[in-house]
Amino acid sequence: MKQHVKKRLSWVIFAGILIVGALLAYNFYSIMNLNDDEGRVNRAEPFYTSVVIGYEEKKLPENGETLEVREYEVTYDEDGHFVSEVVEGPNVGARAEWDGTVYREFNPEGEETNSQETSSGAVAPHPFLSRATNEQIRKWLDDGTLGSSEGDVDIIGRTAQAFVKTESPEAVPAEWVEKYPSIFSEDENEEAVTYYVDANERILLAAESRNNGKLFHSIRMTSFESR
């Protein structure tokens, strides 16, 4: 049972990293290099403290054609402990939390469905909000490989710089073609991920993944309030 829980947690984090960092193979492998040997995100020090973050996630389910939309609210304390809850969309009321020792997941009825001891460091409620993802974004900014600049946009009252990163059709893993046939084909793929990065703090505010111009997944902050 314990091994099953570990695998499930690893899969959740792995799937999130896939979507946020890499519909592009280069992005995927770069972010995966930040993982430890067990496939879990490194337990770095907390990235956010004493804030309430809202974000919206649009995600295409396997073998589906309609994006599912969920809104989340995440509350961090000064030690990086958090409670993340679905506040709109499928599974409203489902939540995840980390108290500095144990990561837990609960279904909308409040029943615990998963738990994992993680006393070696901080856990992010979603890789989109993790230190690892943001440090990778900053690395790409610094070495000039984040992609082509597409100008500035306003996100939650902040100036965000948009960067579009593309990859060759051969970079698409075979399992993506199988799981998302309405998005990926075996030989005609034009992938692009648009990253929206805070111009001052250099943190990721949104990411949109497309193939052949069709949106596959997006995550966007809707609020960011310091306590």
Side-chain angles (χ1 to χ4, degrees):
M1 180 65 179
K2 190 172 184 180
Q3 184 179 7
H4 174 73
V5 169
K6 286 184 178 179
K7 287 183 177 180
R8 185 175 184 275
L9 178 59
S10 298
W11 182 89
V12 170
I13 296 175
F14 173 77
I17 293 174
L18 266 181
I19 295 164
V20 176
L23 286 174
L24 314 178
Y26 171 74
N27 302 19
F28 168 63
Y29 290 118
S30 295
I31 291 181
M32 285 301 292
N33 285 337
L34 301 174
N35 289 3
D36 62 26
D37 292 338
E38 296 182 12
R40 296 186 300 247
V41 174
N42 287 336
R43 310 309 189 192
E45 290 302 310
F47 186 63
Y48 297 108
T49 58
S50 301
V51 296
V52 178
I53 298 172
Y55 71 93
E56 178 189 76
E57 181 175 37
K58 298 180 180 179
K59 179 181 178 181
L60 187 72
E62 287 188 22
N63 297 306
E65 297 186 7
T66 302
L67 292 170
E68 292 182 345
V69 182
R70 290 179 176 84
E71 291 188 15
Y72 296 80
E73 183 177 270
V74 183
T75 302
Y76 283 89
D77 69 11
E78 62 276 7
D79 296 315
H81 307 158
F82 69 82
V83 175
S84 175
E85 183 174 353
V86 180
V87 294
E88 189 170 327
N91 300 322
V92 167
R95 74 181 194 278
E97 61 183 43
W98 182 65
D99 61 6
T101 302
V102 180
Y103 170 84
R104 293 184 173 90
E105 295 177 353
F106 300 87
N107 64 22
E109 288 71 41
E111 300 168 337
E112 184 175 303
T113 59
N114 182 32
S115 65
Q116 173 69 45
E117 291 186 6
T118 56
S119 58
S120 59
V123 178
H126 193 290
F128 173 67
L129 302 174
S130 72
R131 176 183 291 274
T133 295
N134 281 276
E135 286 184 349
Q136 181 63 73
I137 291 294
R138 291 176 176 178
K139 178 180 181 298
W140 286 334
L141 276 172
D142 292 339
D143 64 21
T145 60
L146 185 55
S148 60
S149 177
E150 297 292 326
D152 298 340
V153 298
D154 181 272
I155 297 179
I156 59 171
R158 301 181 179 206
T159 299
Q161 297 173 319
F163 296 87
V164 178
K165 198 171 179 66
T166 59
E167 189 53 84
S168 64
E170 295 77 15
V172 177
E175 61 265 31
W176 295 355
V177 176
E178 180 180 352
K179 291 179 179 179
Y180 308 102
S182 65
I183 294 291
F184 298 103
S185 69
E186 293 184 355
D187 52 11
E188 296 182 359
N189 296 297
E190 294 182 3
E191 299 179 78
V193 177
T194 304
Y195 295 103
Y196 299 90
V197 184
D198 187 293
N200 296 315
E201 295 188 42
R202 303 208 305 168
I203 60 175
L204 187 62
L205 298 179
E208 299 173 344
S209 300
R210 290 179 171 81
N211 189 54
N212 293 324
K214 189 172 182 179
L215 184 67
F216 172 76
H217 188 273
S218 71
I219 300 183
R220 178 179 294 254
M221 284 193 186
T222 57
S223 62
F224 192 106
E225 302 176 7
S226 299
R227 286 183 172 178

